[in-house]
């Protein structure tokens, strides 16, 4: 069963990977925009979990 804690834990693994990919991919490419969007989504998920946990 996935809990809020597990979602935040897996989100933390997504952020560094997405940021590294966004850094390595060529500027303006669709893959780079998707990697940046993934990092933003993971950070938003972590923020929402923290907000809902209080």
């Amino acid at each position: 069963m996935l809990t809020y804690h597990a979602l935040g834990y897996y989100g933390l693994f997504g952020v560094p990977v997405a940021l590294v990919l966004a850094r390595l991919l060529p500027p303006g490419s669709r893959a780079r925009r998707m990697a940046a969007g993934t990092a933003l989504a993971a950070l938003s998920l972590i923020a929402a979990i923290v907000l809902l946990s209080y």
Side-chain angles (χ1 to χ4, degrees):
M1 183 168 126
L2 283 175
T3 62
Y4 286 125
H5 183 267
L7 287 173
Y9 182 73
Y10 292 126
L12 283 175
F13 285 124
V15 172
V17 172
L19 290 176
V20 167
L21 279 176
R23 183 81 175 157
L24 294 176
L25 292 168
S29 68
R30 184 172 187 264
R32 187 173 187 164
R33 287 192 307 267
M34 286 178 61
T38 302
L40 181 61
L43 288 171
S44 298
L45 177 67
I46 293 168
I49 290 169
V50 169
L51 178 71
L52 290 173
S53 68
Y54 288 108

